[in-house]
Amino acid sequence: MTLLGIYNVKKLVVVTGLSGSGKSSTLNILEDQGLFAVDNIPAALLPQLLELLGTHDSAVVNGVVVVVDVRGKDLDRFETISRELRAGVEDFSVVFLDATDEVLVQRFNTTRRSHPLGDGVTILEGIKRERDLLASIRQEADIIVDTSNLDIRSFRPALLKALGSPDPQLTVLFSSFGFKHGIPNDSDYVMDVRFLPNPYYVPSLRDLTGTDEPVKQYIKEQFPDWEAFLDKTVDFFEFLLPQYGRVGKSSMHIAIGCTGGRHRSVAMVEWLESIFEEQGYRVTHFHRDIDKH
């Protein structure tokens, strides 16, 4: 018998349940939470997987989430293996996803996928066979989540609540760029600050960037409505960011552009990053074109 804590990986979440109940979505959500994710692994390989990931920094620090289901063809061994893992992993849990037959049939029809056990039988018969195979595992599960009435928007918060996890903190990326070099194609919002006075035309400021205090001071002095503009911008994002957090969005990319991406947009990013960092947001920045002349 494996001794408690023998594995370097301290947390393992095994996701299982009915096909079409949301296992892949659960895997993606927990991966966004930082867990190392592995899909469709046979139950018999779980001990070897934990041994292998024992030197993987992310897996050791954040934990591992795996999907084990009928595709693995060895569910009859799951109970024995799970007992061993409970003794060897400090934080071990089995999450079972379920849904009504009617909902599962509808989901299969919508995606036009065949049931993994439905070779030569109807979707409904495949679901019934799968329920029989998973019945004992469902009884041993630590958490059971019925996804019948959950849509894409409500699934994430419902799952995290069932797992006892806090809502994920929204990560905000403020990036600066130059319109002459193209708009970042992965941005959620684009702000154009080319209306601000351009330090490029001041010889003493041209070779500086928006990270330098003289450039920031010049923008403030030359734009009388600076404080009002900054306040309105902050108000807008103060309202907007929590809305995205409520629907489960884990990251937000706000791109701010000026002509060359070295002065005005950089300064704006610096100001916004400082403000929202003080408000407790997890904020990062990226100055894409700051070194381009």
Side-chain angles (χ1 to χ4, degrees):
M1 177 63 68
T2 308
L3 298 177
L4 180 61
I6 192 70
Y7 295 109
N8 289 334
V9 174
K10 306 304 180 185
K11 180 176 183 177
L12 174 63
V13 179
V14 178
V15 178
T16 188
L18 278 296
S19 300
S21 60
K23 297 191 297 296
S24 295
S25 297
T26 299
L27 188 74
N28 293 335
I29 291 170
L30 295 182
E31 185 175 21
D32 289 343
Q33 293 287 89
L35 277 70
F36 188 95
V38 181
D39 189 15
N40 187 21
I41 182 172
L45 294 182
L46 288 176
Q48 293 93 317
L49 175 67
L50 293 185
E51 291 286 354
L52 179 64
L53 294 178
T55 57
H56 192 288
D57 291 342
S58 176
V60 172
V61 173
N62 300 318
V64 177
V65 55
V66 300
V67 170
V68 175
D69 56 27
V70 294
R71 294 171 296 174
K73 307 295 184 182
D74 64 346
L75 289 180
D76 56 322
R77 302 182 59 186
F78 181 82
E79 292 180 63
T80 301
I81 294 168
S82 66
R83 282 196 294 269
E84 178 183 342
L85 293 175
R86 285 186 189 278
V89 180
E90 291 184 10
D91 185 357
F92 175 86
S93 60
V94 176
V95 178
F96 191 97
L97 301 181
D98 203 348
T100 64
D101 290 354
E102 293 77 12
V103 168
L104 293 175
V105 170
Q106 182 180 15
R107 290 174 182 173
F108 275 106
N109 288 333
T110 300
T111 59
R112 298 183 179 180
R113 298 184 61 186
S114 60
H115 193 279
L117 296 180
D119 187 16
V121 299
T122 65
I123 293 176
L124 185 58
E125 180 61 27
I127 293 171
K128 291 179 178 179
R129 292 183 183 182
E130 188 175 27
R131 283 197 188 281
D132 292 339
L133 290 172
L134 294 171
S136 60
I137 297 176
R138 190 182 194 281
Q139 291 179 348
E140 298 296 326
D142 301 283
I143 299 169
I144 299 175
V145 181
D146 189 330
T147 68
S148 301
N149 298 316
L150 299 179
D151 56 21
I152 295 176
R153 176 172 294 187
S154 59
F155 184 85
R156 185 187 190 96
L159 174 69
L160 293 176
K161 181 179 180 180
L163 294 176
S165 300
D167 291 337
Q169 185 179 11
L170 182 69
T171 298
V172 184
L173 168 63
F174 290 106
S175 74
S176 64
F177 72 95
F179 278 96
K180 66 187 295 183
H181 305 296
I183 298 174
N185 57 17
D186 62 344
S187 55
D188 295 295
Y189 276 83
V190 175
M191 175 180 289
D192 184 350
V193 295
R194 286 177 291 185
F195 63 90
L196 295 174
N198 194 348
Y200 176 83
Y201 295 109
V202 180
S204 62
L205 302 178
R206 179 172 299 176
D207 292 332
L208 301 179
T209 71
T211 63
D212 296 308
E213 193 57 37
V215 171
K216 295 178 180 178
Q217 193 61 36
Y218 172 82
I219 295 173
K220 292 179 180 179
E221 292 175 352
Q222 297 299 313
F223 188 67
D225 294 325
W226 165 251
E227 288 189 6
F229 165 64
L230 185 62
D231 288 343
K232 291 180 183 296
T233 303
V234 171
D235 285 345
F236 174 70
F237 286 119
E238 281 180 338
F239 170 78
L240 188 69
L241 294 177
Q243 312 308 317
Y244 280 95
R246 290 191 186 98
V247 298
K249 190 172 178 63
S250 60
S251 63
M252 189 79 171
H253 180 187
I254 300 169
I256 302 173
C258 59
T259 303
R262 301 188 68 246
H263 297 99
R264 294 166 289 180
S265 61
V266 172
M268 190 68 182
V269 164
E270 298 272 316
W271 281 313
L272 290 176
E273 179 185 27
S274 176
I275 290 170
F276 282 94
E277 194 170 45
E278 288 181 0
Q279 293 186 8
Y281 282 92
R282 188 166 52 190
V283 183
T284 60
H285 74 266
F286 175 57
H287 298 309
R288 191 192 71 178
D289 300 327
I290 194 171
D291 294 325
K292 295 178 181 177
H293 292 274

